[in-house]
Structure formats: C-alpha cells, structure tokens
Amino acid sequence: MNNIKLSVITTLIVTALLAVGLYLFYTSSSNKFSCSANTTYLFEKTDREKEAVLTSEMRFHFEDDGKGYNLIMGNLLIDGNNYTINRKVQFNYTHNKTNNYVLSTTQVSLENNDNLPKALGERYLYRFSTEQNESTHLVIILMNSGKRLFSSGTLPYFLCE
C-alpha cells in the first residue's frame, strides 16, 4: 500500500516538474512583448532645411505569430508649424537569435487629427511609419532592467519599457 502511494506521489511530482519545465521553456522562447517609449528629437538646420523638433510617445506590441503594431502619438514642430501625429502602424516581423528584427508594414491607419504631411513623415519619422509594404531593420536588445534598447542605422537609439 505504501509503495502504491509513493509511486503515485512520485508520478505526480515528476509530471508537475515536467509541466513547469515545459512552461519555462515556452515562455523563455516566447517573443511576445509590449513596451513604450517617450522620445524627443531635435533635427538641426543644414544649409536649406528648417530646424525641427519631434516629440512622440510610441507603443510597440509584438506577438508570437510574427505580427505586431506600433502606435505613434506626438507632434512635429517645424518652421512655426505644429503637426499632429496619431497613427497605428501594423507590421509583420521576423527576427533571429542575434536580436535583428525586420519589420514590414502591412497597414498604416491615421486618426482624424493626424495632419502630418507624407513628405514630412518620410523625412522625420521613417517610411515604415508612412506607407504600406515598407520595412525597417532594428536591433532590439533585452536589458537586465527589463527595458529594451532599440537601435538602427537610420534611427537614434531609444529605450522602450
């Protein structure tokens, strides 16, 4: 009788440990995450360009199925004109083990108050945020603090938490 109880208890413990191990493996390989970043960028004048200040709040959401979205809310002040940015950029993405991500836009939805002209969006945001079928390359590094460092050859670095 004691041997049967011991066998049942041992089986339950081994089953529970296996389930916990599988769960931990799955969650550690999961690529699902969300984060937000508040950014302010100053674009200094060159020969004929106007100085510009871009202030934005961005929210990124990545799903395990290779899809995600980026909400961008903010404004661009250039030459005394203040443009509102309020859009949702949906994308598909791929990534590799070295934290390289390729995001390809599937849809850009502008809210009614988003009045940023496309040409200025392409100049001060990036084409990925202005039109469908554009892509961007990012390196996204998970830091010990839990924040993520976003970087790219065409974007300034920013922390997303």
Side-chain angles (χ1 to χ4, degrees):
M1 186 70 128
N2 284 339
N3 287 341
I4 294 174
K5 286 182 181 178
L6 184 59
S7 292
V8 169
I9 290 172
T10 303
T11 302
L12 289 174
I13 291 172
V14 169
T15 303
L17 289 174
L18 180 62
V20 168
L22 287 172
Y23 173 77
L24 291 175
F25 173 76
Y26 173 74
T27 57
S28 69
S29 66
S30 173
N31 199 52
K32 180 177 180 178
F33 70 91
S34 295
C35 64
S36 296
N38 292 311
T39 61
T40 301
Y41 299 114
L42 171 66
F43 298 89
E44 294 181 337
K45 293 180 181 181
T46 59
D47 291 338
R48 294 186 315 232
E49 292 180 340
K50 308 281 189 237
E51 186 172 86
V53 176
L54 172 65
T55 305
S56 71
E57 177 185 351
M58 294 184 289
R59 294 182 189 151
F60 286 90
H61 184 77
F62 290 78
E63 288 289 339
D64 281 330
D65 62 0
K67 296 183 184 307
Y69 61 85
N70 176 212
L71 300 175
I72 307 170
M73 296 151 287
N75 63 10
L76 176 68
L77 179 61
I78 181 170
D79 195 30
N81 295 313
N82 192 14
Y83 299 99
T84 299
I85 305 163
N86 191 359
R87 58 188 63 196
K88 180 177 185 178
V89 180
Q90 294 176 293
F91 57 83
N92 293 330
Y93 73 92
T94 59
H95 74 288
N96 62 26
K97 292 185 183 205
T98 58
N99 303 313
N100 292 304
Y101 286 69
V102 177
L103 282 59
S104 301
T105 307
T106 57
Q107 183 175 353
V108 178
S109 303
L110 305 178
E111 294 296 324
N112 289 338
N113 64 337
D114 188 317
N115 64 354
L116 183 68
K118 186 176 178 182
L120 291 178
E122 289 175 356
R123 169 76 173 104
Y124 293 105
L125 292 177
Y126 41 101
R127 289 182 66 102
F128 168 78
S129 301
T130 60
E131 64 184 74
Q132 191 172 331
N133 299 320
E134 290 294 329
S135 63
T136 190
H137 298 262
L138 297 171
V139 175
I140 303 174
I141 299 170
L142 178 60
M143 301 174 66
N144 290 337
S145 65
K147 297 176 183 176
R148 294 180 191 267
L149 177 66
F150 280 58
S151 65
S152 151
T154 59
L155 295 172
Y157 286 54
F158 62 89
L159 288 176
C160 200
E161 50 187 315

